Amino acid sequence: MSTSAEQDLRYPIGRMPKQAVLSPAERAAAIADIAGTAALLRGAVTGLDDSQLDTPYRPDGWTVRQVVHHVADSHMNAYARFRLAATEQNPTIKPYDESEWAKLEDARTMPVSISLDLLESMHTRLDVFLRTLDGDDFQRTVQHPENGPMTVDMLLAAYQWHGKHHATHITALRNRMQWS
């Protein structure tokens, strides 16, 4: 069983919400937060050198570099999931093994600027797309093989949390290590 301190390092903003329905104001906030993910992460890593980028955010955790690349991997999947939900009836989405993806050479060694730029462009498209949806569209579903049916609102809440969750991993590490 993990200790409270380990849980705080792993889930610094708490666990991911499972909110099936969002209010219009909550949706707008989630869309804005998702659109700002790249800037949030860019701010979290600004000024870090390669040694710092290659520091795990917690014991047995990913490095800062892997975290940034993971967010790009995850949000590329999110982009496809949102679009599938809007264009198909309850499509089955493909999960992926994020831990294995984080072990790949590009995730371990590539400059974080590549994924930050990718996130910025992709989230610009996602922001425009999500703002075209109407209220009923947010109740459309995808079928996740491990998590069951998920509404577009659930996806919004999850990816809003996801960006903040990982940016907080980095900023919490910076604070613990006293990196300016």
Side-chain angles (χ1 to χ4, degrees):
M1 182 166 210
S2 60
T3 67
S4 177
E6 288 169 343
Q7 284 291 21
D8 289 347
L9 291 177
R10 191 163 183 195
Y11 297 103
I13 63 169
R15 296 245 182 200
M16 182 174 61
K18 306 277 188 203
Q19 202 166 345
V21 179
L22 301 177
S23 71
E26 289 169 326
R27 282 183 197 126
I31 292 168
D33 285 348
I34 291 168
T37 297
L40 189 64
L41 282 171
R42 196 177 298 275
V45 300
T46 295
L48 295 182
D49 62 29
D50 280 334
S51 174
Q52 292 165 324
L53 290 170
D54 292 329
T55 302
Y57 76 90
R58 67 177 174 87
D60 300 318
W62 292 334
T63 67
V64 171
R65 185 183 312 275
Q66 287 171 303
V67 167
V68 172
H69 295 313
H70 160 72
V71 174
D73 291 341
S74 177
H75 288 220
M76 283 189 292
N77 278 282
Y79 178 76
R81 291 170 177 180
F82 281 117
R83 293 180 71 83
L84 286 167
T87 59
E88 298 180 20
Q89 290 297 340
N90 195 38
T92 298
I93 57 175
K94 179 150 181 18
Y96 65 101
D97 188 336
E98 61 187 32
S99 295
E100 289 301 312
W101 284 34
K103 292 176 187 174
L104 295 172
E105 183 74 13
D106 63 328
R108 290 184 300 103
T109 63
M110 198 169 61
V112 294
S113 61
I114 303 296
S115 283
L116 293 170
D117 292 346
L118 174 65
L119 279 166
E120 189 173 304
S121 295
M122 184 179 44
H123 283 152
T124 297
R125 277 225 35 211
L126 186 55
D127 179 54
V128 169
F129 168 72
L130 290 171
R131 291 179 192 282
T132 69
L133 301 179
D134 66 27
D136 291 339
D137 292 330
F138 291 96
Q139 290 311 300
R140 294 181 63 92
T141 59
V142 295
Q143 184 67 32
H144 192 291
E146 297 163 359
N147 300 327
M150 298 179 73
T151 65
V152 171
D153 273 343
M154 288 174 81
L155 293 173
L156 274 175
Y159 288 103
Q160 176 188 32
W161 171 87
H162 190 255
K164 291 178 180 180
H165 167 72
H166 285 302
T168 304
H169 282 150
I170 298 166
T171 57
L173 173 65
R174 287 183 79 128
N175 290 339
R176 286 192 313 277
M177 301 297 285
Q178 300 180 347
W179 295 337
S180 55

